[in-house]
Amino acid sequence: EPYKNLFEFFLRGNEFPTEYCEWWRGLFTSRGMACIFSDEQLIEKRFREFIIMQQRLNEGMEFFISHPAIAKWNNKGYFNLLDGHHRASFLYHSGLRKIPVRITKHDYDCWCNYGVAREVIELIKKQERFEFYQPILNPYFLSLNTYRENYNKSRLHHILEYLGSKRVSGMSVLDIGACLGYFGQAFARMGANVTMIENDPIHYELLEKINNLLYIKCKTVFKPFEEFETNKQFDVAIMLTVFYPYMGNNDIRNVFLSKLNRYVKRALIWESGDEIEKEKTLIMQETKFKNFQHLSYEYATGKFRELGIFFAEGGKD
């Protein structure tokens, strides 16, 4: 969040980056030291660095490839950034989808997960699959042409930027219609306890392999949500372009909404089909999720859609 505060100030003229300055001072005061810059001196210094990075980026990526951020593999299945936070944040907020970092050969091998990657490749060939709506975050699959997330800002970017510094570690998340698991996997990497539901047998078979490939530990369920039974409740549900097929079947639709009401406590991360207002009205009338926060409009797979979050009556925390 401090880096976002800084670069949104430089790139978009937002308010003075007080949050960044407070964070920077805290690096010194937490160690019993005095900060060597005033806020104005610090931002002036960072602005000069920002101008240099902009000039370098205008010339291409050579500088950032030659002077990459440094990352280290985490055994939970992702990388932690060790150095180069300003460079990485600058590139992210400048709109790049992929950011160069330096890692060890051992860490790269862990990320590749060669044995499971070969199994995924064979399964894709067996399924004769040529369309992918979600990325697979593994070196063998980064060049896939994914219809929904392979651009900036994707749906996941909008969701994560809305969450900001909110912690999801320990939260329970239900990914309804998980497809290849991209969104549930993101929440799992952040420490959430994720259950993925997918009723398409082709998607489900590949979903389980991809979770294994990406070191994702979560529960997967092979059935439609309206047939899902559980004794637990979830903090959040993810349901992206999932509800719209039920619009014409009142009986199944009512069961679907009833189970949302029963199993989900706090929020629904939602993307519409093509009947945006009708979907929103049904959810708000038939469930406890009375409050809505718009995140973005999307145009994908030939349809205009809306992305947003419904909150249970009483708050948006």
Side-chain angles (χ1 to χ4, degrees):
E1 288 297 297
Y3 298 100
K4 176 183 177 183
N5 183 232
L6 178 70
F7 287 111
E8 288 201 340
F9 170 64
F10 289 150
L11 287 162
R12 283 174 268 284
N14 290 6
E15 62 186 21
F16 187 82
T18 303
E19 182 179 357
Y20 178 85
C21 295
E22 290 174 353
W23 168 79
W24 178 261
R25 285 198 304 272
L27 297 177
F28 292 85
T29 57
S30 64
R31 295 168 172 82
M33 302 164 59
C35 186
I36 58 176
F37 300 118
S38 69
D39 289 356
E40 289 74 16
Q41 289 172 329
L42 173 63
I43 298 308
E44 174 63 26
K45 179 177 187 298
R46 292 293 180 237
F47 182 70
R48 291 196 298 269
E49 295 166 355
F50 165 74
I51 293 298
I52 292 170
M53 288 192 291
Q54 272 205 322
Q55 292 169 345
R56 296 293 193 181
L57 183 59
N58 288 337
E59 297 166 359
M61 287 297 294
E62 182 178 346
F63 170 80
F64 296 97
I65 292 172
S66 301
H67 302 81
I70 309 298
K72 182 175 177 57
W73 178 251
N74 186 308
N75 288 332
K76 294 178 181 178
Y78 53 83
F79 288 92
N80 292 116
L81 202 59
L82 301 183
D83 184 55
H85 295 73
H86 287 90
R87 277 163 285 165
S89 298
F90 164 75
L91 292 174
Y92 171 79
H93 289 288
S94 296
L96 269 73
R97 283 283 289 123
K98 297 182 176 69
I99 296 168
V101 297
R102 176 175 290 128
I103 58 178
T104 67
K105 175 64 165 59
H106 174 266
D107 284 359
Y108 179 76
D109 290 342
C110 291
W111 183 26
C112 285
N113 202 357
Y114 296 106
V116 183
R118 284 192 290 270
E119 293 176 9
V120 174
I121 291 169
E122 290 305 313
L123 180 55
I124 288 172
K125 289 179 180 177
K126 172 188 164 187
Q127 293 182 348
E128 299 181 344
R129 180 186 286 266
F130 301 102
E131 292 187 340
F132 295 86
Y133 290 95
Q134 297 177 351
I136 303 172
L137 299 184
N138 173 279
Y140 283 100
F141 306 99
L142 292 181
S143 62
L144 290 179
N145 182 24
T146 52
Y147 285 90
R148 297 305 314 272
E149 302 302 317
N150 200 23
Y151 58 92
N152 190 286
K153 291 179 176 177
S154 71
R155 292 175 297 175
L156 184 59
H157 284 71
H158 285 292
I159 292 166
L160 295 182
E161 287 198 356
Y162 177 79
L163 291 175
S165 60
K166 294 183 179 70
R167 298 297 183 186
V168 304
S169 181
M171 287 174 48
S172 54
V173 174
L174 182 64
D175 189 356
I176 304 170
C179 192
L180 303 186
Y182 181 67
F183 292 90
Q185 290 154 6
F187 277 81
R189 279 191 291 273
M190 293 187 291
N193 300 311
V194 178
T195 297
M196 299 181 181
I197 300 180
E198 177 54 55
N199 70 327
D200 182 293
I202 304 297
H203 287 335
Y204 184 79
E205 186 180 19
L206 187 54
L207 165 65
E208 290 212 300
K209 284 287 186 188
I210 293 171
N211 281 346
N212 192 17
L213 173 69
L214 302 181
Y215 303 90
I216 298 296
K217 300 185 185 304
C218 66
K219 182 179 179 181
T220 57
V221 178
F222 176 45
K223 62 176 55 178
F225 178 63
E226 64 271 17
E227 296 178 11
F228 177 60
E229 298 289 343
T230 182
N231 293 323
K232 67 178 291 187
Q233 285 189 310
F234 299 86
D235 295 306
V236 176
I238 304 168
M239 41 182 284
L240 306 180
T241 62
V242 168
F243 184 56
Y244 75 95
Y246 298 89
M247 301 294 283
N249 188 321
N250 289 351
D251 292 337
I252 297 180
R253 184 186 71 203
N254 291 339
V255 172
F256 189 103
L257 292 171
S258 173
K259 292 198 172 187
L260 276 182
N261 214 29
R262 194 187 328 161
Y263 296 151
V264 185
K265 292 188 291 185
R266 294 167 58 183
L268 308 174
I269 300 172
W270 163 88
E271 186 186 43
S272 73
D274 51 356
E275 296 183 276
I276 295 175
E277 294 306 320
K278 187 175 179 181
E279 272 194 56
K280 288 165 69 173
T281 299
L282 274 169
I283 291 170
M284 296 176 80
Q285 285 181 346
E286 303 298 328
T287 73
K288 62 191 171 201
F289 300 100
K290 307 296 185 185
N291 303 312
F292 180 73
Q293 173 67 53
H294 168 83
L295 296 185
S296 70
Y297 288 111
E298 309 283 330
Y299 186 81
T301 62
K303 292 183 179 179
F304 183 67
R305 308 180 191 273
E306 184 175 10
L307 176 71
I309 304 181
F310 290 94
F311 295 91
E313 211 164 6
K316 291 187 176 182
D317 57 341

